[in-house]
Amino acid sequence: MTHLAPLRAKLTVLRRLRRAVCWIAGIASILASSLVALWALFALDLYFFLSQPQRFVMIVLAVLLESWIVVKWSRRWFVRSESHFQVALGVENTNQLDNDLIAALQFESSTRPVPGSTQLRQLVIQNMIEQQDQIQWFKGNWDRTIWKQIGVLTFLLTLGSCIAASWPAYVRTFGQRLLLTEIRYPSATRIQQIRINDTLVYSRATANGHI
């Protein structure tokens, strides 16, 4: 066991956490773009009352657009990878350690003779052992873009929940129309009169008068 084993363990935990957060950001970006495409399709269908072929074309276009977004923007979060030294560099910059952390890791992990005083190398390592409990490991180690992705998704989910709660019948109908059914959206249309061959068979005014 090396002298810096506890420090390396903390770097490993931080590296895995950063990796997990990147995956969360990638999933959040996919869900956010999917929600935008879904609500845009909902608005178009509600306003123009798209036919079956039109809905099919719009769904295909939405899927193609979402696929492009995943490849172009979301994929980078899933393939992003950092080494221990890259994570350590971020910790150094946050805690203003003047390269002491990376130097200590390199000195201890090196299997070949390193130029310089052995006592100086041991001093750097010992200094990091003494400082490791004072280091703020998680401060400033998160990309602001990650939180933006999560924030956008949270906003869209909240907005979507409000729309679904306010117009549940319309949202249910839209879900059925995505399956290319011929169901129509709820309407407030009122029949005033019905005539068959110029013969009045129903009048709303008359019907209301009998109530």
Side-chain angles (χ1 to χ4, degrees):
M1 182 175 179
T2 63
H3 296 295
L4 296 179
L7 188 146
R8 290 179 182 276
K10 291 177 181 178
L11 286 175
T12 299
V13 171
L14 180 58
R15 180 169 173 260
R16 289 175 179 173
L17 283 176
R18 286 176 61 86
R19 179 66 175 161
V21 171
C22 284
W23 273 75
I24 292 173
I27 294 172
S29 66
I30 292 174
L31 293 176
S33 57
S34 299
L35 285 173
V36 170
L38 195 63
W39 291 120
L41 183 58
F42 176 46
L44 288 173
D45 188 42
L46 184 62
Y47 186 78
F48 294 105
F49 195 74
L50 303 176
S51 64
Q52 279 185 326
Q54 290 173 329
R55 273 177 279 156
F56 177 77
V57 171
M58 294 302 295
I59 291 172
V60 171
L61 290 177
V63 171
L64 292 176
L65 179 60
E66 179 63 21
S67 301
W68 180 82
I69 291 175
V70 170
V71 173
K72 185 70 175 179
W73 302 107
S74 302
R75 179 177 174 273
R76 64 191 178 100
W77 296 110
F78 299 105
V79 300
R80 187 173 178 177
S81 179
E82 294 177 311
S83 67
H84 277 81
F85 289 109
Q86 288 174 315
V87 175
L89 180 60
V91 174
E92 279 187 346
N93 293 336
T94 302
N95 292 270
Q96 299 179 349
L97 298 177
D98 297 328
N99 296 327
D100 288 348
L101 177 56
I102 292 181
L105 292 172
Q106 290 177 331
F107 286 154
E108 193 180 51
S109 63
S110 178
T111 57
R112 294 180 297 178
V114 180
S117 170
T118 302
Q119 291 181 345
L120 178 59
R121 295 199 297 271
Q122 291 298 328
L123 181 62
V124 172
I125 294 174
Q126 185 61 35
N127 183 48
M128 286 311 307
I129 293 175
E130 295 174 355
Q131 291 188 46
Q132 61 180 331
D133 292 333
Q134 302 173 4
I135 295 175
Q136 299 180 14
W137 295 95
F138 302 103
K139 180 181 178 181
N141 264 286
W142 312 106
D143 192 336
R144 290 182 179 178
T145 308
I146 294 175
W147 300 115
K148 288 181 180 179
Q149 297 288 349
I150 297 175
V152 169
L153 176 61
T154 302
F155 170 76
L156 291 174
L157 287 174
T158 303
L159 180 62
S161 299
C162 292
I163 293 175
S166 301
W167 298 284
Y170 286 88
V171 174
R172 284 196 301 269
T173 302
F174 174 63
Q176 293 175 306
R177 287 177 61 80
L178 283 178
L179 300 177
L180 303 181
T181 63
E182 286 293 351
I183 189 172
R184 301 180 67 87
Y185 287 105
S187 174
T189 302
R190 295 183 177 182
I191 299 176
Q192 300 295 332
Q193 291 182 344
I194 297 178
R195 289 179 177 273
I196 299 178
N197 296 327
D198 293 331
T199 302
L200 181 65
V201 296
Y202 172 81
S203 172
R204 181 177 178 81
T206 303
N208 290 340
H210 288 297
I211 295 177

